[in-house]
Amino acid sequence: MIFNSAEPYATKFCDYLQKPILTSVDAGTQFNKPSVTIEDINSDEKCMFYTGVPNKSVFYALFDEMGDASEKTKQNNSSSSSGTGRPRSLRLIDEFFMVLMRLRLGLLLGDLADRFFVSKSTCGVICEKWIEYLHLKLSFLTTWPSREIVDKFMPKKFSRKYPNCRVIIDCTEFFTETNQSLSNKSLLFSSYKSHITYKALLGISPAGLITFVSDLWSGGISDKQITKQCGLFELCERGDAIMADKGFLITDLTTPLGISMILPPFKTHRFSRREVEETRRIANLRIDVERAMERVKNFRILSGVIPITLSKKVSKILKICVDLSNLQPPLVHDDP
C-alpha cells in the first residue's frame, strides 16, 4: 500500500475532524480505510471471531495460496481488449477478510458496506465473486482419505471395537425463508423441524475430520434418500463400515455393496446389558459428528434463516464453511 508522505499531518487533521482517513491502493485508486482490517487483529481469539480461521498465520497462509485471486475475482467479466476491468475499491486481502466476515458473522451486505466504505452493490459483487472462487480454491481442505490413511490415524477407541469404520454420518438442516411457490414449500418443509429447511449429509472420519459433505437438498427428503443419492456409496469400498444413527435404515442398500452398518440396537424389547453397553458406546463415538456440525453452524451465515437470495449459492457457502472448519484444532483426542 502506498501512503502519502504527509500522512502523519493528515491523520491528525482527520482525527480532529472525526472523519475517516483516505489512503491509496493501486495506481490512482482512492478509498477509505476499512474500520477493521486483518492488521488490526491482535489475538487468535479475535481472528477466530471475525474469520473462523484459528490465527493470523493460517489466514496469511491461505491468502498466499491465492495467487490467481486478482484475476479470478474481477468485478466484471468485460471482454475488452485492455482486459483491465473495473478497478478495485479495496486491497485484495481486505476483500478476502470481508468475505470471511460475511460467512463467519453472517453480516448483511449493508453492514459490510459501511464497515469497508464501499457501496452495497460493490460489496455484493465482491462477495459473489469470492464465494465462487473460494468454493473451488478451498476444496482441497475437505477430501476423502484412503483406507490406509483412515487406519493410520484411527483413535484407539475406534480400533478396539470398530476397526473397519470408514466414516460417521449424520444429516443436518438449515432454516431458510418461506418460498412463495406452494410446490417448493411442500418439498422444503421439514416435519422434523416444522419449518422450511435445506438438508445436507455430513461425514467425518474416525479421527474427527469432516471428509464428506453433500449438496443441500430440500428439507423434506428422507435420510435414506439423501444417503442414496449424495454419492457417498461410490466413495466407500467393500469391507468398509459406516456408523450412523438408528434413523438411517439403509442396510438394504449397503449390504449388496459389501458395506456394513454400525447402528445402535433397535428398541423392540427391553435391552440386555450388552445392548445397553453397545448403545452407550456408539453414542459416545457419534458425538463427534454432532460437534463437527456445530462447528460448521458457528458460521453464522448458516445459523439463522438463510434468505432466498442466497439459494443459488448456499451449497457452495456450506462447503466453504466446512472447508474452513477443518482448519480448526482436532475434535478427537486419542486416549492412552
PDB file of all heavy atoms in Angstrom, residues 167 169-171 199-202 212 214 217 221-236 242-245 247-251 253-254 257 259 261:
ATOM      1  N   VAL A 167     -16.389 -44.010   8.018  1.00  0.00           N
ATOM      2  CA  VAL A 167     -16.980 -42.676   8.125  1.00  0.00           C
ATOM      3  C   VAL A 167     -18.153 -42.735   9.099  1.00  0.00           C
ATOM      4  O   VAL A 167     -18.815 -43.764   9.243  1.00  0.00           O
ATOM      5  CB  VAL A 167     -17.441 -42.173   6.733  1.00  0.00           C
ATOM      6  CG1 VAL A 167     -18.559 -43.029   6.180  1.00  0.00           C
ATOM      7  CG2 VAL A 167     -17.841 -40.711   6.760  1.00  0.00           C
ATOM      8  N   ILE A 169     -21.670 -40.727   9.800  1.00  0.00           N
ATOM      9  CA  ILE A 169     -22.529 -39.809   9.047  1.00  0.00           C
ATOM     10  C   ILE A 169     -23.714 -39.337   9.879  1.00  0.00           C
ATOM     11  O   ILE A 169     -24.133 -39.984  10.830  1.00  0.00           O
ATOM     12  CB  ILE A 169     -23.043 -40.458   7.741  1.00  0.00           C
ATOM     13  CG1 ILE A 169     -23.924 -41.685   8.059  1.00  0.00           C
ATOM     14  CG2 ILE A 169     -21.900 -40.825   6.826  1.00  0.00           C
ATOM     15  CD1 ILE A 169     -24.623 -42.261   6.829  1.00  0.00           C
ATOM     16  N   ASP A 170     -24.224 -38.189   9.498  1.00  0.00           N
ATOM     17  CA  ASP A 170     -25.464 -37.668  10.076  1.00  0.00           C
ATOM     18  C   ASP A 170     -25.976 -36.566   9.160  1.00  0.00           C
ATOM     19  O   ASP A 170     -25.201 -35.990   8.372  1.00  0.00           O
ATOM     20  CB  ASP A 170     -25.246 -37.132  11.484  1.00  0.00           C
ATOM     21  CG  ASP A 170     -26.539 -37.118  12.302  1.00  0.00           C
ATOM     22  OD1 ASP A 170     -27.592 -37.460  11.730  1.00  0.00           O
ATOM     23  OD2 ASP A 170     -26.496 -36.769  13.497  1.00  0.00           O
ATOM     24  N   CYS A 171     -27.252 -36.283   9.255  1.00  0.00           N
ATOM     25  CA  CYS A 171     -27.850 -35.199   8.477  1.00  0.00           C
ATOM     26  C   CYS A 171     -28.078 -33.986   9.367  1.00  0.00           C
ATOM     27  O   CYS A 171     -28.301 -34.117  10.573  1.00  0.00           O
ATOM     28  CB  CYS A 171     -29.171 -35.646   7.855  1.00  0.00           C
ATOM     29  SG  CYS A 171     -28.976 -36.784   6.470  1.00  0.00           S
ATOM     30  N   LYS A 199     -31.374 -29.428   3.653  1.00  0.00           N
ATOM     31  CA  LYS A 199     -30.829 -30.572   4.381  1.00  0.00           C
ATOM     32  C   LYS A 199     -29.557 -31.054   3.702  1.00  0.00           C
ATOM     33  O   LYS A 199     -29.479 -31.094   2.467  1.00  0.00           O
ATOM     34  CB  LYS A 199     -31.865 -31.706   4.416  1.00  0.00           C
ATOM     35  CG  LYS A 199     -31.521 -32.858   5.353  1.00  0.00           C
ATOM     36  CD  LYS A 199     -32.730 -33.811   5.421  1.00  0.00           C
ATOM     37  CE  LYS A 199     -32.536 -34.872   6.475  1.00  0.00           C
ATOM     38  NZ  LYS A 199     -33.733 -35.756   6.594  1.00  0.00           N
ATOM     39  N   ALA A 200     -28.560 -31.399   4.520  1.00  0.00           N
ATOM     40  CA  ALA A 200     -27.297 -31.901   3.984  1.00  0.00           C
ATOM     41  C   ALA A 200     -26.831 -33.079   4.820  1.00  0.00           C
ATOM     42  O   ALA A 200     -27.187 -33.213   5.987  1.00  0.00           O
ATOM     43  CB  ALA A 200     -26.235 -30.805   3.992  1.00  0.00           C
ATOM     44  N   LEU A 201     -26.029 -33.931   4.207  1.00  0.00           N
ATOM     45  CA  LEU A 201     -25.409 -35.054   4.911  1.00  0.00           C
ATOM     46  C   LEU A 201     -23.926 -34.766   5.064  1.00  0.00           C
ATOM     47  O   LEU A 201     -23.251 -34.423   4.091  1.00  0.00           O
ATOM     48  CB  LEU A 201     -25.637 -36.357   4.159  1.00  0.00           C
ATOM     49  CG  LEU A 201     -25.084 -37.619   4.839  1.00  0.00           C
ATOM     50  CD1 LEU A 201     -26.060 -38.785   4.665  1.00  0.00           C
ATOM     51  CD2 LEU A 201     -23.719 -38.028   4.317  1.00  0.00           C
ATOM     52  N   LEU A 202     -23.439 -34.887   6.291  1.00  0.00           N
ATOM     53  CA  LEU A 202     -22.017 -34.708   6.587  1.00  0.00           C
ATOM     54  C   LEU A 202     -21.433 -36.023   7.079  1.00  0.00           C
ATOM     55  O   LEU A 202     -22.116 -36.807   7.753  1.00  0.00           O
ATOM     56  CB  LEU A 202     -21.803 -33.632   7.654  1.00  0.00           C
ATOM     57  CG  LEU A 202     -21.627 -32.192   7.185  1.00  0.00           C
ATOM     58  CD1 LEU A 202     -22.951 -31.651   6.670  1.00  0.00           C
ATOM     59  CD2 LEU A 202     -21.105 -31.303   8.302  1.00  0.00           C
ATOM     60  N   PHE A 212     -16.633 -35.601   4.161  1.00  0.00           N
ATOM     61  CA  PHE A 212     -17.676 -35.636   3.132  1.00  0.00           C
ATOM     62  C   PHE A 212     -18.770 -34.645   3.494  1.00  0.00           C
ATOM     63  O   PHE A 212     -19.193 -34.558   4.657  1.00  0.00           O
ATOM     64  CB  PHE A 212     -18.289 -37.042   3.015  1.00  0.00           C
ATOM     65  CG  PHE A 212     -19.365 -37.141   1.962  1.00  0.00           C
ATOM     66  CD1 PHE A 212     -19.023 -37.348   0.636  1.00  0.00           C
ATOM     67  CD2 PHE A 212     -20.708 -36.998   2.290  1.00  0.00           C
ATOM     68  CE1 PHE A 212     -20.014 -37.428  -0.343  1.00  0.00           C
ATOM     69  CE2 PHE A 212     -21.695 -37.068   1.329  1.00  0.00           C
ATOM     70  CZ  PHE A 212     -21.341 -37.283   0.002  1.00  0.00           C
ATOM     71  N   SER A 214     -22.446 -33.299   1.452  1.00  0.00           N
ATOM     72  CA  SER A 214     -23.279 -33.345   0.252  1.00  0.00           C
ATOM     73  C   SER A 214     -23.704 -31.940  -0.144  1.00  0.00           C
ATOM     74  O   SER A 214     -23.512 -30.971   0.603  1.00  0.00           O
ATOM     75  CB  SER A 214     -24.517 -34.206   0.516  1.00  0.00           C
ATOM     76  OG  SER A 214     -25.413 -33.517   1.391  1.00  0.00           O
ATOM     77  N   TRP A 217     -30.068 -30.324  -0.018  1.00  0.00           N
ATOM     78  CA  TRP A 217     -31.290 -30.849  -0.608  1.00  0.00           C
ATOM     79  C   TRP A 217     -32.489 -30.201   0.088  1.00  0.00           C
ATOM     80  O   TRP A 217     -32.341 -29.529   1.103  1.00  0.00           O
ATOM     81  CB  TRP A 217     -31.343 -32.372  -0.441  1.00  0.00           C
ATOM     82  CG  TRP A 217     -30.265 -33.098  -1.187  1.00  0.00           C
ATOM     83  CD1 TRP A 217     -28.929 -33.087  -0.917  1.00  0.00           C
ATOM     84  CD2 TRP A 217     -30.417 -33.929  -2.337  1.00  0.00           C
ATOM     85  NE1 TRP A 217     -28.236 -33.858  -1.809  1.00  0.00           N
ATOM     86  CE2 TRP A 217     -29.127 -34.394  -2.697  1.00  0.00           C
ATOM     87  CE3 TRP A 217     -31.511 -34.345  -3.085  1.00  0.00           C
ATOM     88  CZ2 TRP A 217     -28.915 -35.238  -3.783  1.00  0.00           C
ATOM     89  CZ3 TRP A 217     -31.292 -35.191  -4.171  1.00  0.00           C
ATOM     90  CH2 TRP A 217     -30.022 -35.629  -4.510  1.00  0.00           C
ATOM     91  N   ILE A 221     -36.659 -34.313   2.203  1.00  0.00           N
ATOM     92  CA  ILE A 221     -36.050 -35.575   1.784  1.00  0.00           C
ATOM     93  C   ILE A 221     -35.714 -36.426   3.002  1.00  0.00           C
ATOM     94  O   ILE A 221     -35.365 -35.914   4.067  1.00  0.00           O
ATOM     95  CB  ILE A 221     -34.789 -35.301   0.927  1.00  0.00           C
ATOM     96  CG1 ILE A 221     -34.320 -36.564   0.216  1.00  0.00           C
ATOM     97  CG2 ILE A 221     -33.667 -34.719   1.776  1.00  0.00           C
ATOM     98  CD1 ILE A 221     -33.223 -36.318  -0.808  1.00  0.00           C
ATOM     99  N   SER A 222     -35.818 -37.734   2.864  1.00  0.00           N
ATOM    100  CA  SER A 222     -35.521 -38.639   3.977  1.00  0.00           C
ATOM    101  C   SER A 222     -34.018 -38.872   4.084  1.00  0.00           C
ATOM    102  O   SER A 222     -33.263 -38.670   3.124  1.00  0.00           O
ATOM    103  CB  SER A 222     -36.236 -39.973   3.779  1.00  0.00           C
ATOM    104  OG  SER A 222     -35.696 -40.667   2.662  1.00  0.00           O
ATOM    105  N   ASP A 223     -33.594 -39.320   5.273  1.00  0.00           N
ATOM    106  CA  ASP A 223     -32.181 -39.634   5.466  1.00  0.00           C
ATOM    107  C   ASP A 223     -31.726 -40.726   4.499  1.00  0.00           C
ATOM    108  O   ASP A 223     -30.610 -40.687   3.973  1.00  0.00           O
ATOM    109  CB  ASP A 223     -31.941 -40.100   6.909  1.00  0.00           C
ATOM    110  CG  ASP A 223     -32.118 -38.980   7.914  1.00  0.00           C
ATOM    111  OD1 ASP A 223     -32.238 -37.814   7.484  1.00  0.00           O
ATOM    112  OD2 ASP A 223     -32.146 -39.268   9.123  1.00  0.00           O
ATOM    113  N   LYS A 224     -32.589 -41.697   4.261  1.00  0.00           N
ATOM    114  CA  LYS A 224     -32.240 -42.804   3.368  1.00  0.00           C
ATOM    115  C   LYS A 224     -32.054 -42.316   1.944  1.00  0.00           C
ATOM    116  O   LYS A 224     -31.083 -42.683   1.266  1.00  0.00           O
ATOM    117  CB  LYS A 224     -33.341 -43.879   3.415  1.00  0.00           C
ATOM    118  CG  LYS A 224     -33.062 -45.077   2.528  1.00  0.00           C
ATOM    119  CD  LYS A 224     -34.116 -46.160   2.707  1.00  0.00           C
ATOM    120  CE  LYS A 224     -33.787 -47.386   1.876  1.00  0.00           C
ATOM    121  NZ  LYS A 224     -34.768 -48.487   2.105  1.00  0.00           N
ATOM    122  N   GLN A 225     -32.958 -41.460   1.487  1.00  0.00           N
ATOM    123  CA  GLN A 225     -32.896 -40.991   0.106  1.00  0.00           C
ATOM    124  C   GLN A 225     -31.679 -40.098  -0.129  1.00  0.00           C
ATOM    125  O   GLN A 225     -31.016 -40.207  -1.160  1.00  0.00           O
ATOM    126  CB  GLN A 225     -34.188 -40.237  -0.240  1.00  0.00           C
ATOM    127  CG  GLN A 225     -34.409 -40.025  -1.734  1.00  0.00           C
ATOM    128  CD  GLN A 225     -34.635 -41.325  -2.485  1.00  0.00           C
ATOM    129  OE1 GLN A 225     -34.965 -42.342  -1.887  1.00  0.00           O
ATOM    130  NE2 GLN A 225     -34.453 -41.293  -3.787  1.00  0.00           N
ATOM    131  N   ILE A 226     -31.386 -39.217   0.813  1.00  0.00           N
ATOM    132  CA  ILE A 226     -30.236 -38.334   0.621  1.00  0.00           C
ATOM    133  C   ILE A 226     -28.930 -39.131   0.658  1.00  0.00           C
ATOM    134  O   ILE A 226     -27.993 -38.850  -0.090  1.00  0.00           O
ATOM    135  CB  ILE A 226     -30.225 -37.197   1.672  1.00  0.00           C
ATOM    136  CG1 ILE A 226     -29.233 -36.109   1.270  1.00  0.00           C
ATOM    137  CG2 ILE A 226     -29.870 -37.699   3.054  1.00  0.00           C
ATOM    138  CD1 ILE A 226     -29.296 -34.883   2.169  1.00  0.00           C
ATOM    139  N   THR A 227     -28.856 -40.173   1.486  1.00  0.00           N
ATOM    140  CA  THR A 227     -27.660 -41.007   1.540  1.00  0.00           C
ATOM    141  C   THR A 227     -27.482 -41.789   0.242  1.00  0.00           C
ATOM    142  O   THR A 227     -26.367 -41.957  -0.250  1.00  0.00           O
ATOM    143  CB  THR A 227     -27.733 -41.989   2.727  1.00  0.00           C
ATOM    144  OG1 THR A 227     -28.034 -41.271   3.922  1.00  0.00           O
ATOM    145  CG2 THR A 227     -26.418 -42.716   2.922  1.00  0.00           C
ATOM    146  N   LYS A 228     -28.589 -42.226  -0.324  1.00  0.00           N
ATOM    147  CA  LYS A 228     -28.543 -42.984  -1.571  1.00  0.00           C
ATOM    148  C   LYS A 228     -28.076 -42.129  -2.738  1.00  0.00           C
ATOM    149  O   LYS A 228     -27.327 -42.602  -3.610  1.00  0.00           O
ATOM    150  CB  LYS A 228     -29.935 -43.561  -1.860  1.00  0.00           C
ATOM    151  CG  LYS A 228     -30.035 -44.351  -3.152  1.00  0.00           C
ATOM    152  CD  LYS A 228     -31.459 -44.855  -3.363  1.00  0.00           C
ATOM    153  CE  LYS A 228     -31.597 -45.612  -4.680  1.00  0.00           C
ATOM    154  NZ  LYS A 228     -32.997 -46.098  -4.888  1.00  0.00           N
ATOM    155  N   GLN A 229     -28.481 -40.858  -2.768  1.00  0.00           N
ATOM    156  CA  GLN A 229     -28.249 -40.027  -3.946  1.00  0.00           C
ATOM    157  C   GLN A 229     -27.047 -39.089  -3.840  1.00  0.00           C
ATOM    158  O   GLN A 229     -26.655 -38.485  -4.831  1.00  0.00           O
ATOM    159  CB  GLN A 229     -29.509 -39.209  -4.238  1.00  0.00           C
ATOM    160  CG  GLN A 229     -30.727 -40.054  -4.566  1.00  0.00           C
ATOM    161  CD  GLN A 229     -31.893 -39.222  -5.070  1.00  0.00           C
ATOM    162  OE1 GLN A 229     -31.716 -38.110  -5.574  1.00  0.00           O
ATOM    163  NE2 GLN A 229     -33.104 -39.743  -4.929  1.00  0.00           N
ATOM    164  N   CYS A 230     -26.462 -38.952  -2.659  1.00  0.00           N
ATOM    165  CA  CYS A 230     -25.412 -37.935  -2.493  1.00  0.00           C
ATOM    166  C   CYS A 230     -24.039 -38.376  -2.988  1.00  0.00           C
ATOM    167  O   CYS A 230     -23.115 -37.563  -3.055  1.00  0.00           O
ATOM    168  CB  CYS A 230     -25.313 -37.521  -1.021  1.00  0.00           C
ATOM    169  SG  CYS A 230     -24.656 -38.808   0.060  1.00  0.00           S
ATOM    170  N   GLY A 231     -23.859 -39.657  -3.305  1.00  0.00           N
ATOM    171  CA  GLY A 231     -22.573 -40.124  -3.824  1.00  0.00           C
ATOM    172  C   GLY A 231     -21.656 -40.742  -2.788  1.00  0.00           C
ATOM    173  O   GLY A 231     -20.521 -41.092  -3.105  1.00  0.00           O
ATOM    174  N   LEU A 232     -22.129 -40.913  -1.559  1.00  0.00           N
ATOM    175  CA  LEU A 232     -21.280 -41.468  -0.506  1.00  0.00           C
ATOM    176  C   LEU A 232     -20.902 -42.921  -0.789  1.00  0.00           C
ATOM    177  O   LEU A 232     -19.752 -43.324  -0.583  1.00  0.00           O
ATOM    178  CB  LEU A 232     -22.004 -41.376   0.838  1.00  0.00           C
ATOM    179  CG  LEU A 232     -21.268 -41.975   2.050  1.00  0.00           C
ATOM    180  CD1 LEU A 232     -20.021 -41.165   2.371  1.00  0.00           C
ATOM    181  CD2 LEU A 232     -22.201 -42.034   3.266  1.00  0.00           C
ATOM    182  N   PHE A 233     -21.840 -43.719  -1.283  1.00  0.00           N
ATOM    183  CA  PHE A 233     -21.576 -45.134  -1.513  1.00  0.00           C
ATOM    184  C   PHE A 233     -20.488 -45.342  -2.568  1.00  0.00           C
ATOM    185  O   PHE A 233     -19.736 -46.322  -2.512  1.00  0.00           O
ATOM    186  CB  PHE A 233     -22.855 -45.857  -1.945  1.00  0.00           C
ATOM    187  CG  PHE A 233     -23.908 -45.923  -0.873  1.00  0.00           C
ATOM    188  CD1 PHE A 233     -25.254 -46.003  -1.200  1.00  0.00           C
ATOM    189  CD2 PHE A 233     -23.562 -45.896   0.471  1.00  0.00           C
ATOM    190  CE1 PHE A 233     -26.227 -46.069  -0.215  1.00  0.00           C
ATOM    191  CE2 PHE A 233     -24.524 -45.952   1.470  1.00  0.00           C
ATOM    192  CZ  PHE A 233     -25.858 -46.041   1.119  1.00  0.00           C
ATOM    193  N   GLU A 234     -20.402 -44.432  -3.517  1.00  0.00           N
ATOM    194  CA  GLU A 234     -19.384 -44.554  -4.564  1.00  0.00           C
ATOM    195  C   GLU A 234     -17.967 -44.365  -4.005  1.00  0.00           C
ATOM    196  O   GLU A 234     -16.991 -44.821  -4.599  1.00  0.00           O
ATOM    197  CB  GLU A 234     -19.633 -43.537  -5.672  1.00  0.00           C
ATOM    198  CG  GLU A 234     -20.803 -43.858  -6.592  1.00  0.00           C
ATOM    199  CD  GLU A 234     -22.160 -43.595  -5.961  1.00  0.00           C
ATOM    200  OE1 GLU A 234     -22.210 -43.062  -4.820  1.00  0.00           O
ATOM    201  OE2 GLU A 234     -23.175 -43.915  -6.604  1.00  0.00           O
ATOM    202  N   LEU A 235     -17.851 -43.692  -2.866  1.00  0.00           N
ATOM    203  CA  LEU A 235     -16.540 -43.450  -2.262  1.00  0.00           C
ATOM    204  C   LEU A 235     -16.101 -44.597  -1.354  1.00  0.00           C
ATOM    205  O   LEU A 235     -14.903 -44.837  -1.196  1.00  0.00           O
ATOM    206  CB  LEU A 235     -16.573 -42.148  -1.456  1.00  0.00           C
ATOM    207  CG  LEU A 235     -16.823 -40.865  -2.249  1.00  0.00           C
ATOM    208  CD1 LEU A 235     -17.009 -39.688  -1.299  1.00  0.00           C
ATOM    209  CD2 LEU A 235     -15.670 -40.587  -3.201  1.00  0.00           C
ATOM    210  N   CYS A 236     -17.065 -45.295  -0.754  1.00  0.00           N
ATOM    211  CA  CYS A 236     -16.737 -46.392   0.160  1.00  0.00           C
ATOM    212  C   CYS A 236     -16.295 -47.626  -0.629  1.00  0.00           C
ATOM    213  O   CYS A 236     -16.614 -47.787  -1.808  1.00  0.00           O
ATOM    214  CB  CYS A 236     -17.936 -46.730   1.037  1.00  0.00           C
ATOM    215  SG  CYS A 236     -18.382 -45.426   2.211  1.00  0.00           S
ATOM    216  N   ILE A 242     -19.978 -48.085   7.957  1.00  0.00           N
ATOM    217  CA  ILE A 242     -20.484 -46.731   8.150  1.00  0.00           C
ATOM    218  C   ILE A 242     -21.206 -46.679   9.487  1.00  0.00           C
ATOM    219  O   ILE A 242     -22.095 -47.490   9.745  1.00  0.00           O
ATOM    220  CB  ILE A 242     -21.448 -46.325   7.018  1.00  0.00           C
ATOM    221  CG1 ILE A 242     -20.730 -46.329   5.668  1.00  0.00           C
ATOM    222  CG2 ILE A 242     -22.050 -44.955   7.294  1.00  0.00           C
ATOM    223  CD1 ILE A 242     -21.666 -46.081   4.487  1.00  0.00           C
ATOM    224  N   MET A 243     -20.819 -45.735  10.336  1.00  0.00           N
ATOM    225  CA  MET A 243     -21.503 -45.558  11.613  1.00  0.00           C
ATOM    226  C   MET A 243     -22.559 -44.466  11.466  1.00  0.00           C
ATOM    227  O   MET A 243     -22.295 -43.405  10.888  1.00  0.00           O
ATOM    228  CB  MET A 243     -20.500 -45.182  12.708  1.00  0.00           C
ATOM    229  CG  MET A 243     -21.129 -44.981  14.082  1.00  0.00           C
ATOM    230  SD  MET A 243     -19.912 -44.645  15.390  1.00  0.00           S
ATOM    231  CE  MET A 243     -19.212 -46.282  15.617  1.00  0.00           C
ATOM    232  N   ALA A 244     -23.748 -44.730  11.977  1.00  0.00           N
ATOM    233  CA  ALA A 244     -24.844 -43.773  11.835  1.00  0.00           C
ATOM    234  C   ALA A 244     -25.832 -43.948  12.973  1.00  0.00           C
ATOM    235  O   ALA A 244     -25.745 -44.883  13.769  1.00  0.00           O
ATOM    236  CB  ALA A 244     -25.541 -43.963  10.486  1.00  0.00           C
ATOM    237  N   ASP A 245     -26.801 -43.033  13.011  1.00  0.00           N
ATOM    238  CA  ASP A 245     -27.892 -43.128  13.969  1.00  0.00           C
ATOM    239  C   ASP A 245     -28.876 -44.194  13.491  1.00  0.00           C
ATOM    240  O   ASP A 245     -28.890 -44.570  12.308  1.00  0.00           O
ATOM    241  CB  ASP A 245     -28.580 -41.764  14.086  1.00  0.00           C
ATOM    242  CG  ASP A 245     -29.596 -41.712  15.207  1.00  0.00           C
ATOM    243  OD1 ASP A 245     -29.521 -42.574  16.099  1.00  0.00           O
ATOM    244  OD2 ASP A 245     -30.464 -40.819  15.185  1.00  0.00           O
ATOM    245  N   GLY A 247     -31.803 -43.984  12.746  1.00  0.00           N
ATOM    246  CA  GLY A 247     -32.736 -43.495  11.738  1.00  0.00           C
ATOM    247  C   GLY A 247     -32.295 -43.782  10.319  1.00  0.00           C
ATOM    248  O   GLY A 247     -33.089 -43.647   9.376  1.00  0.00           O
ATOM    249  N   PHE A 248     -31.049 -44.167  10.119  1.00  0.00           N
ATOM    250  CA  PHE A 248     -30.538 -44.457   8.783  1.00  0.00           C
ATOM    251  C   PHE A 248     -30.828 -45.923   8.441  1.00  0.00           C
ATOM    252  O   PHE A 248     -29.990 -46.812   8.644  1.00  0.00           O
ATOM    253  CB  PHE A 248     -29.040 -44.167   8.710  1.00  0.00           C
ATOM    254  CG  PHE A 248     -28.708 -42.709   8.599  1.00  0.00           C
ATOM    255  CD1 PHE A 248     -28.666 -41.917   9.733  1.00  0.00           C
ATOM    256  CD2 PHE A 248     -28.459 -42.122   7.370  1.00  0.00           C
ATOM    257  CE1 PHE A 248     -28.357 -40.559   9.643  1.00  0.00           C
ATOM    258  CE2 PHE A 248     -28.157 -40.774   7.267  1.00  0.00           C
ATOM    259  CZ  PHE A 248     -28.122 -39.991   8.405  1.00  0.00           C
ATOM    260  N   LEU A 249     -32.006 -46.161   7.899  1.00  0.00           N
ATOM    261  CA  LEU A 249     -32.429 -47.522   7.551  1.00  0.00           C
ATOM    262  C   LEU A 249     -31.961 -47.840   6.130  1.00  0.00           C
ATOM    263  O   LEU A 249     -32.761 -47.924   5.186  1.00  0.00           O
ATOM    264  CB  LEU A 249     -33.945 -47.638   7.678  1.00  0.00           C
ATOM    265  CG  LEU A 249     -34.518 -47.231   9.048  1.00  0.00           C
ATOM    266  CD1 LEU A 249     -36.045 -47.297   9.028  1.00  0.00           C
ATOM    267  CD2 LEU A 249     -33.957 -48.115  10.145  1.00  0.00           C
ATOM    268  N   ILE A 250     -30.666 -48.027   5.974  1.00  0.00           N
ATOM    269  CA  ILE A 250     -30.089 -48.183   4.640  1.00  0.00           C
ATOM    270  C   ILE A 250     -29.342 -49.497   4.487  1.00  0.00           C
ATOM    271  O   ILE A 250     -28.575 -49.665   3.546  1.00  0.00           O
ATOM    272  CB  ILE A 250     -29.144 -47.004   4.321  1.00  0.00           C
ATOM    273  CG1 ILE A 250     -28.031 -46.886   5.382  1.00  0.00           C
ATOM    274  CG2 ILE A 250     -29.912 -45.695   4.224  1.00  0.00           C
ATOM    275  CD1 ILE A 250     -27.000 -45.816   5.068  1.00  0.00           C
ATOM    276  N   THR A 251     -29.573 -50.444   5.388  1.00  0.00           N
ATOM    277  CA  THR A 251     -28.870 -51.722   5.315  1.00  0.00           C
ATOM    278  C   THR A 251     -29.144 -52.437   4.000  1.00  0.00           C
ATOM    279  O   THR A 251     -28.258 -53.101   3.440  1.00  0.00           O
ATOM    280  CB  THR A 251     -29.274 -52.621   6.498  1.00  0.00           C
ATOM    281  OG1 THR A 251     -29.085 -51.912   7.719  1.00  0.00           O
ATOM    282  CG2 THR A 251     -28.438 -53.889   6.529  1.00  0.00           C
ATOM    283  N   LEU A 253     -29.385 -51.140   1.200  1.00  0.00           N
ATOM    284  CA  LEU A 253     -28.576 -50.514   0.155  1.00  0.00           C
ATOM    285  C   LEU A 253     -27.093 -50.844   0.308  1.00  0.00           C
ATOM    286  O   LEU A 253     -26.374 -50.985  -0.681  1.00  0.00           O
ATOM    287  CB  LEU A 253     -28.763 -48.989   0.184  1.00  0.00           C
ATOM    288  CG  LEU A 253     -30.180 -48.453   0.014  1.00  0.00           C
ATOM    289  CD1 LEU A 253     -30.189 -46.934   0.158  1.00  0.00           C
ATOM    290  CD2 LEU A 253     -30.754 -48.851  -1.342  1.00  0.00           C
ATOM    291  N   THR A 254     -26.642 -50.949   1.559  1.00  0.00           N
ATOM    292  CA  THR A 254     -25.204 -51.152   1.805  1.00  0.00           C
ATOM    293  C   THR A 254     -24.779 -52.611   1.715  1.00  0.00           C
ATOM    294  O   THR A 254     -23.659 -52.902   1.253  1.00  0.00           O
ATOM    295  CB  THR A 254     -24.831 -50.603   3.192  1.00  0.00           C
ATOM    296  OG1 THR A 254     -25.616 -51.271   4.197  1.00  0.00           O
ATOM    297  CG2 THR A 254     -25.099 -49.111   3.268  1.00  0.00           C
ATOM    298  N   LEU A 257     -23.400 -53.955  -1.487  1.00  0.00           N
ATOM    299  CA  LEU A 257     -22.118 -53.324  -1.846  1.00  0.00           C
ATOM    300  C   LEU A 257     -20.968 -53.823  -0.978  1.00  0.00           C
ATOM    301  O   LEU A 257     -19.826 -53.381  -1.154  1.00  0.00           O
ATOM    302  CB  LEU A 257     -22.238 -51.800  -1.705  1.00  0.00           C
ATOM    303  CG  LEU A 257     -23.298 -51.111  -2.576  1.00  0.00           C
ATOM    304  CD1 LEU A 257     -23.400 -49.635  -2.214  1.00  0.00           C
ATOM    305  CD2 LEU A 257     -22.965 -51.276  -4.053  1.00  0.00           C
ATOM    306  N   ILE A 259     -20.763 -53.251   2.225  1.00  0.00           N
ATOM    307  CA  ILE A 259     -20.548 -52.223   3.251  1.00  0.00           C
ATOM    308  C   ILE A 259     -21.444 -52.556   4.436  1.00  0.00           C
ATOM    309  O   ILE A 259     -22.639 -52.816   4.269  1.00  0.00           O
ATOM    310  CB  ILE A 259     -20.882 -50.820   2.704  1.00  0.00           C
ATOM    311  CG1 ILE A 259     -20.014 -50.499   1.492  1.00  0.00           C
ATOM    312  CG2 ILE A 259     -20.692 -49.767   3.792  1.00  0.00           C
ATOM    313  CD1 ILE A 259     -20.448 -49.244   0.747  1.00  0.00           C
ATOM    314  N   MET A 261     -23.112 -51.653   8.341  1.00  0.00           N
ATOM    315  CA  MET A 261     -23.596 -50.511   9.109  1.00  0.00           C
ATOM    316  C   MET A 261     -23.353 -50.742  10.596  1.00  0.00           C
ATOM    317  O   MET A 261     -23.564 -51.843  11.109  1.00  0.00           O
ATOM    318  CB  MET A 261     -25.082 -50.280   8.863  1.00  0.00           C
ATOM    319  CG  MET A 261     -25.447 -49.874   7.452  1.00  0.00           C
ATOM    320  SD  MET A 261     -24.759 -48.273   6.962  1.00  0.00           S
ATOM    321  CE  MET A 261     -25.504 -47.183   8.169  1.00  0.00           C
TER     322      MET A 261
END
